Amino acid sequence: MSRTTLTRSRVANAPAQDLRGQAKLNLSILEDRQSIADLMTGWIHRDLAEWDQLRELFHPDGTIEISWFEGLASDFVDGSMRMGESDLRTKHFIGAPVVAFNGHKATVETNAVVVGENVRLNLGCSTHARFYDQVEKRNGVWKILKRQGVYDFSYFNFPQGVVEIDREVVKRYPREYASLGYLLEKSGFPVKRVFATKGSDLEKTMKAKGHAWLAA
C-alpha cells in the first residue's frame, strides 16, 4: 500500500470527532492568518487619513520604529496627522505577509513600497522596505505590539522634471533609504538615527530579538 493510500485510509477511518476537531483547528488558523493579513493591509488607513482606524491596528502599548518616528503608536498617529497637513504626501503598497505563530503571538514580515512626494519641492521618492512586526492576540483580537522597518533600496522621483538635489545631504543616509531620508529631512521630518537595511547587523539583531520574543 502506498503512503498516499495509507494516509487517505487513516483519514477515512478516523473518528468523526477527531475530524471535526482538526477542521475546527484548521479554520481557526485560517481566521488568525486573515486577521493578521488585515492588520498589514490596514495601513491603507494612513494613506486615507482615517486616523481612528489606524489607531485600532495597534495595542494601547504598541510601538513603532520607522525612518522618521520612534515611540508609541498613538503618538505616531498624531505625527502622521501633522505630516498629512504638510507638503509631504505618501502612499504605501503592501505585500502578502509571512507569518510565524506561537500560540497567541506571531512575528510577521511584509513587503512594502513607500511612495512619497513633496509637492512644494516637486520631488519624490520610491522606497522598497519591509515591516517586521510582533503581533499579539488579546481578548480574541490580533493587533500589532511592535512594528519596525527594514529598508532594501530607494530612488528619487521627479514628477515635473529633474530638480536640484544636495548630494552632501544624501550622503548622510545609507544608500538603501537615502532618497527617503533626504525627502523627509527637506519636509521637516528628519531621520534621527541609522535604521536596519537589507542584510545589516541591525536587521539580524532585530530578527534575533523577534525570534526570542516569539519563543518565550
Side-chain angles (χ1 to χ4, degrees):
M1 182 181 293
S2 70
R3 292 182 64 184
T4 302
T5 303
L6 180 60
T7 300
R8 288 175 178 170
S9 176
R10 286 176 175 171
V11 170
N13 294 328
Q17 183 177 357
D18 291 348
L19 293 176
R20 287 196 295 270
Q22 185 61 48
K24 185 176 181 180
L25 177 60
N26 291 341
L27 179 59
S28 177
I29 292 172
L30 288 174
E31 289 174 345
D32 286 341
R33 286 190 176 276
Q34 185 58 58
S35 295
I36 291 172
D38 288 345
L39 287 177
M40 302 302 109
T41 57
W43 210 240
I44 192 174
H45 296 308
R46 187 177 187 278
D47 297 340
L48 298 176
E50 296 172 344
W51 308 121
D52 290 341
Q53 293 94 318
L54 182 61
R55 291 182 198 277
E56 285 300 310
L57 300 180
F58 292 85
H59 287 298
D61 55 340
T63 61
I64 184 167
E65 300 174 10
I66 57 170
S67 55
W68 63 276
F69 182 88
E70 290 185 82
L72 286 172
S74 56
D75 294 334
F76 166 78
V77 176
D78 294 338
S80 297
M81 293 171 69
R82 292 192 296 272
M83 183 180 285
E85 296 172 352
S86 73
D87 296 317
L88 181 62
R89 305 287 185 267
T90 60
K91 187 175 181 64
H92 300 76
F93 296 89
I94 306 299
V98 176
V99 185
F101 287 98
N102 183 13
H104 287 176
K105 299 192 295 184
T107 56
V108 190
E109 188 166 10
T110 312
N111 274 323
V113 181
V114 185
V115 181
E117 179 186 358
N118 185 302
V119 295
R120 174 178 53 85
L121 299 176
N122 289 320
L123 178 66
C125 76
S126 294
T127 303
H128 291 254
R130 283 165 285 141
F131 289 131
Y132 186 72
D133 295 316
Q134 296 173 15
V135 300
E136 279 188 346
K137 189 177 188 179
R138 299 179 184 174
N139 299 318
V141 180
W142 288 97
K143 291 190 179 185
I144 300 170
L145 178 63
K146 186 174 186 178
R147 164 158 288 190
Q148 297 170 280
V150 182
Y151 299 91
D152 296 331
F153 61 91
S154 182
Y155 45 86
F156 284 105
N157 298 327
F158 301 95
Q160 295 186 337
V162 177
V163 298
E164 188 70 21
I165 293 174
D166 187 335
R167 295 184 180 272
E168 293 304 312
V169 174
V170 174
K171 290 178 182 178
R172 294 208 295 262
Y173 300 103
R175 183 183 182 91
E176 290 84 352
Y177 60 86
S179 61
L180 174 62
Y182 182 91
L183 189 65
L184 286 166
E185 179 175 331
K186 293 299 181 180
S187 301
F189 300 91
V191 179
K192 298 180 180 180
R193 70 164 175 90
V194 175
F195 282 83
T197 56
K198 186 176 182 179
S200 67
D201 288 341
L202 284 174
E203 180 183 8
K204 293 173 184 176
T205 299
M206 174 193 303
K207 290 186 174 180
K209 290 181 178 179
H211 294 159
W213 170 84
L214 183 64

